[in-house]
Amino acid sequence: MVEHDDEEGVTAEEQAQAEALARALDGQASSPDGAAPADALETAALLRYAAGDGELDEGRAEAVLDALWPPGAQRPGDPSSAPALMRARARWRGPALAAALGFAAAAAALLWSRPGAEVAAPADGPQLQAPSEAATLPAPPTELLRAQAAAARDPATRDALDTAMGSYREAVLRRLAAQYPAHVGMLEAPAPRRLP
Amino acid sequence: MRGNSQPPDALDWERECLRRAQGGDREAFAQLYRAFAPRLYAQVLMPRLGQRQAAEDALSETFRMLLERSADLDADGRSLYAWLARVATNKALDMHRVRTRSARALANFEGLIAPLREGAESADAVERDATRGRVRETVDQVLTALNPRYRRAIELRFLEEQPRELCAARMEVKLGTFDVVLLRALRAFRVEWESRHG
């Protein structure tokens, strides 16, 4: 090995920078000790650009295109495409479920905590007993989720959401009434409609 | 060739491709992609990111944005390239913001090549190639002005794309010494470059 003038006077800091630069140029993550010096890294990127990195490789370009929009697939981001619809449903499933559960919890709390409800029951009438099984609430229908998604995009469609929510509310009430028939009259709510 | 100021038929072609792509025509989208992706990559993304993989990721994100926002684009008489270039620039900036977390060694050398551009960043392929031609020419001139060992280190590592172990062997120095020589060579190159185009 031959020593040259340009190799003299190397400080520990410069050596560390040189090693960090070497790692960065090899595509390795920077070490906790320090990142590669920006001035040298930028100059190296310029040289690589001039040497050919500035050109988008045709094969890589087509691979990026295929990943973006696979051949034969529907347009990504199309609201009517199946994946987009599933994502929209997934986005609303949580809030809709939470709303339904909240609604059910409120209804149940009202039923069970109504002051004097049990006292007011006639002595010769049917005694209130907890049902053997808790009611299973209906899942929010697709129409409701669609209406919620549409209302989120366009407030002008809220009427449709109200209609869909009203239908769902009725379905929940019907289910609760079927499971807790003794409480329906005490709530003085309209008689539940006959289930279809 | 489609630049920022386009003849009406070129703009019509862009709008027609965009309209068909919105309707689910992948080939129309592919035509737009093939027309603009190489220019975005060479003129906007690589100079700001300095790394192939990062530039490809940003390119993909830029065209994903086009797919998602195409219905909202205004037909304001300008080429789609202007919108794409703005999105790509923002994507590059976002990548720099998360650079520490992503541990990517990104490098923005746009400032070094900006003086070699004639006018604004162009979508024009002729201007793009001319810029790269001027960059290569200037690289050659600057290398000629360097200390021969610095020039050799740069040529081996970046123009011949040799691994550093081989570079060190070819220069008959230890690996650690080669790393230092290369660092000094790059700094000397930059000083010379900026003295010409600072």
Side-chain angles (χ1 to χ4, degrees):
Chain A
M1 300 287 167
V2 182
E3 290 297 315
H4 293 264
D5 291 347
D6 54 35
E7 297 162 16
E8 291 175 352
V10 182
T11 63
E13 183 188 8
E14 190 180 25
Q15 187 71 54
Q17 286 183 339
E19 287 168 10
L21 176 66
R23 280 194 300 274
L25 293 177
D26 279 340
Q28 297 171 27
S30 53
S31 73
D33 314 339
D39 61 337
L41 199 58
E42 288 163 10
T43 311
L46 167 68
L47 285 159
R48 283 182 164 170
Y49 178 84
D53 271 11
E55 204 68 50
L56 178 60
D57 176 78
E58 201 172 316
R60 293 292 310 149
E62 290 302 305
V64 170
L65 173 62
D66 288 351
L68 262 173
W69 187 338
Q74 279 188 292
R75 180 170 75 84
D78 182 351
S80 66
S81 73
L85 200 57
M86 284 172 67
R87 278 196 300 277
R89 283 179 186 167
R91 240 189 336 267
W92 286 100
R93 193 168 290 137
L97 195 59
L101 288 174
F103 179 72
L110 196 60
L111 282 168
W112 297 115
S113 67
R114 186 178 164 84
E118 293 188 36
V119 175
D124 56 346
Q127 292 303 302
L128 295 177
Q129 288 182 339
S132 56
E133 288 181 16
T136 306
L137 296 177
T142 308
E143 290 71 26
L144 174 58
L145 301 181
R146 280 203 182 114
Q148 284 175 320
R153 284 194 303 271
D154 179 9
T157 63
R158 275 188 191 151
D159 287 349
L161 174 60
D162 286 345
T163 304
M165 185 58 91
S167 302
Y168 179 58
R169 197 181 293 119
E170 283 182 18
V172 171
L173 281 171
R174 280 200 300 273
R175 185 69 60 84
L176 289 171
Q179 189 73 8
Y180 311 112
H183 297 275
V184 172
M186 295 170 65
L187 278 170
E188 295 173 354
R193 293 176 194 171
R194 192 179 296 276
L195 286 169
Chain B
M1 300 303 153
R2 293 174 173 80
N4 283 340
S5 50
Q6 296 291 307
D9 59 340
L11 292 175
D12 289 346
W13 174 84
E14 288 179 17
R15 285 193 201 117
E16 176 61 15
C17 285
L18 207 52
R19 189 189 62 73
R20 283 168 44 207
Q22 283 166 13
D25 184 341
R26 183 185 184 273
E27 183 50 33
F29 178 76
Q31 284 182 28
L32 285 173
Y33 174 85
R34 290 180 188 123
F36 295 124
R39 305 168 194 191
L40 285 171
Y41 180 87
Q43 291 212 322
V44 178
L45 294 171
M46 275 304 283
R48 286 170 175 81
L49 295 168
Q51 197 195 63
R52 273 183 179 274
Q53 188 57 55
E56 286 175 9
D57 290 349
L59 185 68
S60 173
E61 286 301 309
T62 301
F63 278 90
R64 188 182 307 284
M65 187 77 90
L66 176 63
L67 278 170
E68 290 172 359
R69 301 276 174 85
S70 58
D72 305 328
L73 291 180
D74 293 328
D76 59 358
R78 297 176 72 201
S79 169
L80 185 59
Y81 182 81
W83 184 86
L84 289 168
R86 197 168 62 243
V87 172
T89 302
N90 289 336
K91 295 288 175 195
L93 286 171
D94 289 345
M95 284 189 168
H96 276 282
R97 284 193 199 103
V98 299
R99 177 174 47 179
T100 312
R101 285 204 299 279
S102 64
R104 276 176 156 167
L106 303 180
N108 184 342
F109 60 89
E110 167 61 22
L112 291 174
I113 64 168
L116 300 179
R117 290 192 204 281
E118 287 183 356
E121 285 173 13
S122 170
D124 191 295
V126 174
E127 170 53 22
R128 179 196 63 197
D129 292 344
T131 301
R132 288 199 53 227
R134 284 193 288 274
V135 169
R136 278 195 293 266
E137 197 176 304
T138 310
V139 164
D140 289 342
Q141 291 167 0
V142 171
L143 282 175
T144 307
L146 290 188
N147 163 336
R149 278 173 56 76
Y150 287 170
R151 180 168 67 240
R152 185 72 184 128
I154 286 175
E155 285 172 347
L156 283 169
R157 192 74 173 106
F158 299 110
L159 306 186
E160 298 178 21
E161 299 182 24
Q162 302 289 346
R164 56 198 266 264
E165 292 81 2
L166 192 59
C167 295
R170 297 270 294 272
M171 290 187 69
E172 299 181 342
V173 294
K174 294 174 190 166
L175 192 57
T177 304
F178 174 76
D179 291 341
V180 172
V181 171
L182 188 65
L183 174 64
R184 291 180 175 183
L186 288 170
R187 285 179 164 157
F189 182 97
R190 186 170 182 132
V191 168
E192 184 62 30
W193 180 285
E194 287 177 340
S195 74
R196 292 162 186 252
H197 300 288

